[in-house]
Amino acid sequence: MKSLNYGIIGNCRSAALVSEKGAIDWCCLPRFDSPSVFARLLDEENGGHFSILTDRSYRIEQHYIENTSILSTRFDNGSDAFEVLDFMPRYLNESGDSYTPPEIIRHIRLLRGSPIFRVKYDPRLEYASEETFTYMKDAFIISLTNTKKFDSLFLYSDFDLEAITTGKEIALRKDGFFLMGYNEKIFVPTLERIRLEFERTKVYWLNWSDNTPSYQNYDAEINRSAITLKLLSYEKTGAVLAAATTSLPETIGEVRNWDYRFCWIRDASMVVKVLTSIGHRQQAKDYLRFVLDLLPDKDEKLQIMYGIHGEKKLTEEFLEHLSGYEGSRPVRIGNAAYEQRQHDIYGILMDVIHQQLTLFSNDIENGEEIWNITKGIVWVVGQHWQEPDKGIWEFRTEERHFTFSKVLCWTAIDRAVKVALLLGKREKARKWQPLADAIRKDILDNAWNDDIEAFTQSYGSSDLDASVLLMENYGFIEPWNPQYVSTVKAIGRDLSNDGLLYRYKNRDDFGLPSSSFTICTFWYINSLFKIGETDEAEALFEKLLSYSNHLGLFSEDLDFKTKRLLGNFPQAYSHLALIETAINLSTLTKEEKIIDALR
């Protein structure tokens, strides 16, 4: 059985996945949403990869250098040992700007003896849609296709280039390197330069992680998740990706697979709120700038998702030539969900805006533009909250009056009222409050089901839905309210499967889900904690953490039976919820000034 035992490396421009055996099986250059140069993840035979190969006598172990995104893969057979340090350079240059070239460095360090290894360097450009030609030049190896000769890939190394291209054995006598990049280098890299890039990147991540508060429990898990969320951000525009991959299926062999290399307003807003709460404010400033740039006109409606450069049309295509992850086809690029209507995005975005104004009221940028967005959101919600939508789970056919969507419509107006008061717009606040009250009454009148004693997925429904657990999180209802307590318990009885939660159990456009959407289990654990069931919450959290991969990373889904990771990877949703849950279950022990500043 294949596993998502991968580490992610990146520099907030692009990312790559490195297998537990040290093979780069997924990478898109020069940016996250570019065509892949390695895609063995989606096609074993034709996708392409960059592997370090040894004989079976070597034991392979892998870990991140603590508090960084630098991945160490160690090869050791007892007498001989070496280490591969994989990273994408990221640091501040002399002018204070971020240096994030579209390249990967594989720093090879001799640890002991005289190791022997081979290299399988097999790039397949343009999603492997046509033949890639790879050959040696004087100072590098170049890969290109016939149709896009300027869309090329360059590999530099201080190892023998012929040995690399032919796969001959390489005897390691001293440290060495591989530098693979989208651009030809002006100056040929040297080992000394590689070591400098390594140290600068290491220092950047150590400094970034130092801003994350420390906790008595789950400190390592919180920090790893925070770094992962940072790696899923696109610094150039402020966009935040849902995941680094496309087409990893929710269930093996089925068609539930999507391209997640885009910015969902919902996912990104949740990520930004969590990162801000643990001291990383710049992410929020960059993201709000991204949102403001999306809406140049006051009357322009917000889409549920955008490209990472703000692209508004994300046409979905099938890559028929790729066999898919374990044969799970089709492989998709683009995402047709961009055309859907989902009312919840307005509330989630307004929640982030309110957070930023509350925490940083004396240092908020773009105040007038934010006020314009606030007024626009109130107008849109006021016009459309009574209409059905596709809901948080993006049902591709039927629209309904989803409870979560209605709760987030209330959240949008509630936060808009609070923003108006913060900005001294008291008349607007008085004008908008009746709308918030009307939405609240509508939810309480229509979403509660007396027969099952719970708030349900949609109005008039008897189906339960894990998203309803967030009613408390957004302040719609108190955790001790008997209706909320009853809802949490009903969801636990109906949607839990060996400690993992269904999003819902009613059949959707593709049939009954057979895997657990990981964030839902985190939501449930949080809800148990909120209603006072702390022992059960802690036990379930420990159990869920044990299902991560060897590096503590989560994908979108978990198989109910095998507990294997499924879906796109790593998933921002999963890691933001991990942070929230871990903080709830932990105790802050130091750096309290950061938390005090955010209260």
Side-chain angles (χ1 to χ4, degrees), residues 192-477:
E192 288 71 24
R193 181 69 189 185
I194 295 301
R195 287 170 173 160
L196 182 60
E197 296 283 286
F198 169 79
E199 293 297 339
R200 285 173 167 171
T201 300
K202 180 180 176 182
V203 167
Y204 169 83
W205 286 108
L206 290 175
N207 285 333
W208 189 88
S209 295
D210 191 52
N211 289 322
T212 303
S214 297
Y215 296 83
Q216 180 176 327
N217 300 312
Y218 311 117
D219 190 61
E221 290 84 355
I222 291 170
N223 196 55
R224 179 52 49 200
S225 290
I227 291 173
T228 302
L229 294 179
K230 177 65 174 175
L231 288 172
L232 292 174
S233 66
Y234 184 56
E235 184 176 54
K236 186 173 183 179
T237 63
V240 180
L241 285 77
T245 58
T246 179
S247 303
L248 297 186
E250 297 176 23
T251 302
I252 299 299
E254 293 189 4
V255 297
R256 295 174 187 261
N257 58 68
W258 325 104
D259 192 346
Y260 274 13
R261 297 170 299 157
F262 302 111
C263 182
W264 272 257
I265 295 299
R266 178 195 307 111
D267 303 42
S269 298
M270 288 181 173
V271 166
V272 164
K273 184 180 180 182
V274 166
L275 286 179
T276 299
S277 72
I278 57 173
H280 298 288
R281 186 196 168 193
Q282 187 60 46
Q283 190 103 7
K285 294 175 69 175
D286 293 344
Y287 174 65
L288 286 179
R289 181 71 263 167
F290 174 74
V291 173
L292 293 171
D293 288 343
L294 291 173
L295 302 173
D297 300 320
K298 293 181 181 180
D299 60 348
E300 186 170 348
K301 290 184 179 179
L302 195 65
Q303 293 182 189
I304 70 165
M305 59 189 292
Y306 295 87
I308 60 174
H309 269 272
E311 298 91 340
K312 298 176 181 178
K313 189 174 183 180
L314 309 174
T315 305
E316 191 170 293
E317 302 175 34
F318 295 169
L319 301 181
E320 301 287 0
H321 63 282
L322 294 177
S323 61
Y325 181 83
E326 288 199 22
S328 301
R329 303 178 71 182
V331 172
R332 308 172 195 258
I333 55 173
N335 197 308
Y338 80 93
E339 296 182 297
Q340 289 188 3
R341 178 171 59 172
Q342 297 174 23
H343 297 326
D344 62 272
I345 60 173
Y346 298 104
I348 291 172
L349 179 58
M350 276 307 309
D351 190 49
V352 171
I353 290 173
H354 173 251
Q355 179 203 43
Q356 300 306 304
L357 285 172
T358 301
L359 299 180
F360 311 112
S361 58
N362 295 326
D363 188 30
I364 194 70
E365 297 178 0
N366 313 307
E368 289 82 5
E369 292 173 282
I370 288 174
W371 178 236
N372 273 336
I373 280 189
T374 300
K375 291 188 294 182
I377 286 175
V378 171
W379 185 88
V380 171
V381 172
Q383 293 293 311
H384 300 288
W385 74 269
Q386 293 175 297
E387 300 170 0
D389 72 344
K390 297 291 187 181
I392 183 175
W393 307 127
E394 298 180 357
F395 289 89
R396 291 201 166 192
T397 53
E398 179 184 0
E399 291 192 344
R400 306 176 201 168
H401 293 281
F402 288 103
T403 300
F404 180 76
S405 295
K406 303 296 185 186
V407 169
L408 269 296
C409 284
W410 170 84
T411 303
I413 307 304
D414 176 77
R415 301 307 191 268
V417 169
K418 290 179 169 65
V419 166
L421 292 173
L422 285 170
L423 296 177
K425 306 290 187 179
R426 297 187 177 278
E427 185 57 37
K428 285 290 187 184
R430 284 193 291 269
K431 180 180 178 181
W432 294 341
Q433 186 60 53
L435 176 57
D437 295 339
I439 299 174
R440 179 181 179 82
K441 183 178 185 302
D442 189 71
I443 295 167
L444 294 174
D445 289 346
N446 295 290
W448 177 260
N449 186 307
D450 283 323
D451 293 334
I452 61 175
E453 298 183 326
F455 291 104
T456 58
Q457 182 183 72
S458 57
Y459 286 4
S461 168
S462 59
D463 297 312
L464 293 172
D465 191 304
S467 66
V468 175
L469 294 169
L470 295 182
M471 297 174 79
E472 182 277 334
N473 190 57
Y474 285 102
F476 181 85
I477 197 169

